[in-house]
Amino acid sequence: MLQSSHCGSSHVWALRKTRRRRRLRSPMARAALAAALLAVLGAAAAEGGARPSGSCPGDEEGSVLLQSAATRAQRSEARLQSTEPDADAEGNPYATEPWNATFSVVLSGEEGGEESNFTVTVHPDWAPEGAKRLQDLVASHVFDEARFFRVVPDFMVQWGIPADPAVAKTWSEKKIPDDPDAGHSNEKGMVTFATSGPDSRTSQLFVNYKDNAFLDKQGFTPVGEVVEGMSVVEGIQSKYGEEPDQGEIQERGNAYLTKEFPGLSYISGVTGSFPAGSK
């Protein structure tokens, strides 16, 4: 049970102040920001007995969560209010021809560490819905600071749960329909959305480390392929395997991963070559 204290009150006050300052009108955006607060309060309840009297458990983590959540929830609200069916979240027209997404990656997992790059060519004709969603994610910088949380050697590497729990909540609710099989197999280097069943794709993707043709008939339609930097993809930190808990990542984001699994490789930024819009 969550304990009532001045610590919880201070975070509630911070949430209210943030909502007033950012003027979040969308119920979903407000809910996303509230989710960050709940994560902070949960940490406070769990750690309260180990903290000295007068300190607020989770303050440092909570401050980071709420500050980043405020900005990203506002950005998420803008996306949710988009009324342009043929444009991505930032107003760029959806590409109909192949385009490149270049991922800058810190393999060491160290803050400000050396960056390496890999490039994915996205094919809208292979997976039209998947290509539009990937363009949304790149244009909106959803992958920034996201960790590669599941790495299975000789199988695949997976990422796509946003670093911020508020943003993760928003995108976990934005599912897209499946794309029909266009005849492209999950061969080594192919990039594919992860699913939990029919019509369940959100923001998680993986790169195949080998030919995984058995995935082709299970709804895993490739959306692109690594055309440069496959050695970088193969160099992503794998020592934690499948240990990180996806539920915890959704609830706590990087606060959980950096504490429990230090050294995970992460994405420092992504650039896309799709057409620019008017925004």
Side-chain angles (χ1 to χ4, degrees):
M1 182 181 295
L2 296 179
Q3 299 176 347
S4 175
S5 70
H6 78 284
C7 298
S9 297
S10 69
H11 286 312
V12 170
W13 175 85
L15 173 65
R16 288 173 176 167
K17 181 180 179 182
T18 296
R19 283 166 60 173
R20 287 197 302 269
R21 184 172 64 249
R22 300 282 180 172
R23 296 180 180 176
L24 299 179
R25 297 182 178 86
S26 163
M28 188 175 291
R30 291 197 296 270
L33 187 54
L37 174 66
L38 290 176
V40 174
L41 293 178
E47 301 176 17
R51 295 298 183 97
S53 177
S55 66
C56 287
D59 266 356
E60 182 176 352
E61 180 178 315
S63 296
V64 173
L65 266 173
L66 288 173
Q67 288 173 11
S68 58
T71 298
R72 298 191 187 203
Q74 187 180 40
R75 182 182 295 169
S76 295
E77 181 179 41
R79 288 194 293 264
L80 290 166
Q81 293 175 341
S82 176
T83 58
E84 301 178 68
D86 297 320
D88 65 29
E90 299 300 318
N92 307 304
Y94 283 125
T96 57
E97 299 295 329
W99 57 275
N100 288 341
T102 299
F103 292 75
S104 296
V105 176
V106 178
L107 294 175
S108 69
E110 297 176 355
E111 187 69 28
E114 181 180 355
E115 295 181 346
S116 302
N117 298 324
F118 70 89
T119 298
V120 173
T121 295
V122 181
H123 292 273
D125 56 326
W126 292 6
E129 294 299 323
K132 288 190 287 187
R133 172 50 55 88
L134 185 48
Q135 183 172 329
D136 280 331
L137 297 166
V138 172
S140 303
H141 305 285
V142 173
F143 293 139
D144 289 7
E145 305 300 318
R147 266 55 182 174
F148 294 93
F149 61 84
R150 184 179 180 215
V151 186
V152 184
D154 204 35
F155 180 34
M156 57 93 231
V157 54
Q158 186 171 337
W159 78 96
I161 300 180
D164 188 301
V167 180
K169 177 176 174 59
T170 297
W171 286 97
S172 70
E173 297 171 348
K174 293 168 69 68
K175 296 177 173 61
I176 59 173
D178 292 337
D179 285 301
D181 183 357
H184 300 280
S185 181
N186 281 276
E187 300 173 345
K188 180 177 180 178
M190 289 293 194
V191 179
T192 306
F193 274 91
T195 75
S196 58
D199 301 324
S200 62
R201 295 180 297 175
T202 56
S203 62
Q204 296 188 42
L205 297 105
F206 63 90
V207 177
N208 290 280
Y209 275 152
K210 69 167 190 173
D211 293 349
N212 294 314
F214 72 94
L215 296 175
D216 298 349
K217 300 304 181 182
Q218 299 181 32
F220 295 98
T221 303
V223 68
E225 58 187 328
V226 176
V227 295
E228 185 176 344
M230 190 62 194
S231 62
V232 173
V233 178
E234 293 173 324
I236 290 170
Q237 178 60 257
S238 63
K239 68 179 179 180
Y240 297 115
E242 299 181 83
E243 292 181 41
D245 183 273
Q246 293 192 37
E248 287 291 315
I249 305 172
Q250 290 280 356
E251 291 294 323
R252 298 175 55 198
N254 279 1
Y256 161 68
L257 290 174
T258 56
K259 178 181 179 181
E260 302 295 336
F261 305 98
L264 283 176
S265 303
Y266 67 89
I267 298 167
S268 57
V270 190
T271 58
S273 64
F274 44 79
S278 58
K279 286 190 177 180

